[in-house]
Amino acid sequence: MTDRISAPNVYLYAFQLYNDSQGRDNPLWQQCDKIMAKVTYTYERLTPHLVFPANSHSYFEDLLSNTPLHFSTRNPLIEGFVQPIRIDDSYGLCLNIGCREDGTADNIKVSFLKKFYPNQPLLIGGNDHFLGQTLIITAWLTQTPPDNLDSLKPLADKCRDSLFSGDSPPTFYRSGKLFGSPIFEYGSVSDIANYRHLLVWLLCDEKTDADFNTCQDEIFKLLFHRNKIIKAFQDSRQIYDELDTEFRTIEKNMDNLQQQFARGTVLTASQLLELQ
């Protein structure tokens, strides 16, 4: 399969609980500003454009008044936008960096993806309230796709490797079709400590692109809940050993208590308090 693609784009979906960092002080916006500072012509920032409606109880709320923030990059072939959202008890954003589908970026090498964010992939670090992120690469195929998905995997791998140039890429997990076009998933929850999630979507049908645009809100919500579930699982693994230790201590205390009851021992108030 060729190593050429057309009109590649990268979408970063990232999520963070707002907890005690509501409004413009949330670390997610600061991380987004750092990314935009590296890829825009001028130091365009998201934070000053944010709008936080007062007393809003909406589950899903746009924080830019339904207008994504568009920006121009240092490479004339590349542009982008960012869309911040308040969703349930968290903030999320979709940041796009990519090429227009106007013929100016047709039949280009996969390695062009390195230009989207030089020296490192579009990865956001976070504190304990960071819920995780998903990266989606979309690119149009330059040839009629084969029926066998396996023959497209080398091209998808090259897309992954180009974006993660200089960094350890996530491993291949599975493949299938979404809205009629092949899609490849990287990152397995079996490696939960180093988990990173990437989708490479090789477009071959105009309807795929139309459905993707139509379902943006639904995709955003789906990825939010997916990342939130995985974060809960990661947290559970981190505290597993501590919980196991506490459980064994409680179990030992209960055994001792049962033995004292069997001997007819009357527990003192202080012993009961310690047990409690």
Side-chain angles (χ1 to χ4, degrees), residues 9-10 18 27 29 45 74 80 86 92 102 121 127 138 143-144 148 160 162 175 192 210 214-215 226 240 260 267:
N9 276 262
V10 175
Y18 50 67
W29 316 135
R45 297 171 62 221
R74 294 183 173 88
R86 188 190 67 79
D102 59 1
N127 56 26
T138 66
Q143 299 177 0
T144 301
N148 185 3
R160 173 203 59 183
S162 293
S175 61
I192 197 65
T214 300
C215 297
R226 184 185 192 279
Y240 174 81
Q260 293 183 59
L267 299 181

Side-chain angles (χ1 to χ4, degrees), residues 5-25:
I5 52 178
S6 294
N9 276 262
V10 175
Y11 297 84
L12 165 65
Y13 296 86
F15 309 94
Q16 171 127 1
L17 294 169
Y18 50 67
N19 280 38
D20 56 353
S21 299
Q22 297 193 36
R24 289 183 174 85
D25 294 332

Side-chain angles (χ1 to χ4, degrees), residues 114 117-124 133 135 157 160-171 194-196:
K114 296 178 183 178
Y117 196 54
N119 303 322
Q120 64 183 96
L122 288 165
L123 296 174
I124 289 182
Q133 65 178 43
L135 285 166
D157 288 346
R160 173 203 59 183
D161 295 342
S162 293
L163 186 64
F164 282 83
S165 177
D167 193 84
S168 300
T171 56
N194 302 302
Y195 181 72
R196 286 183 288 183

Side-chain angles (χ1 to χ4, degrees), residues 47-162:
T47 307
H49 298 275
L50 293 168
V51 178
F52 298 92
N55 302 319
S56 175
H57 301 289
S58 174
Y59 167 77
F60 189 81
E61 188 167 42
D62 188 351
L63 299 178
L64 280 181
S65 301
N66 298 316
T67 305
L69 176 62
H70 292 274
F71 57 88
S72 298
T73 69
R74 294 183 173 88
N75 188 311
L77 292 179
I78 304 172
E79 60 185 11
F81 72 84
V82 59
Q83 186 71 61
I85 298 289
R86 188 190 67 79
I87 177 169
D88 195 23
D89 58 356
S90 306
Y91 293 131
L93 67 85
C94 172
L95 187 147
N96 163 253
I97 301 175
C99 301
R100 296 183 295 272
E101 296 179 13
D102 59 1
T104 57
D106 283 354
N107 199 34
I108 59 177
K109 288 186 176 181
V110 170
S111 58
F112 187 85
L113 286 166
K114 296 178 183 178
K115 300 180 182 295
F116 288 167
Y117 196 54
N119 303 322
Q120 64 183 96
L122 288 165
L123 296 174
I124 289 182
N127 56 26
D128 289 341
H129 299 312
F130 183 64
L131 299 176
Q133 65 178 43
T134 293
L135 285 166
I136 300 179
I137 299 174
T138 66
W140 286 90
L141 292 170
T142 59
Q143 299 177 0
T144 301
D147 293 332
N148 185 3
L149 286 178
D150 291 341
S151 60
L152 284 174
K153 183 178 177 296
L155 177 60
D157 288 346
K158 289 179 181 178
C159 290
R160 173 203 59 183
D161 295 342
S162 293

Side-chain angles (χ1 to χ4, degrees), residues 231-249:
K231 170 63 173 174
F233 180 68
Q234 288 174 321
D235 289 346
S236 73
R237 296 303 88 192
Q238 291 175 0
I239 65 173
Y240 174 81
D241 289 340
E242 181 179 347
L243 290 174
D244 183 62
T245 299
E246 293 296 331
F247 174 78
R248 293 179 186 277
T249 300

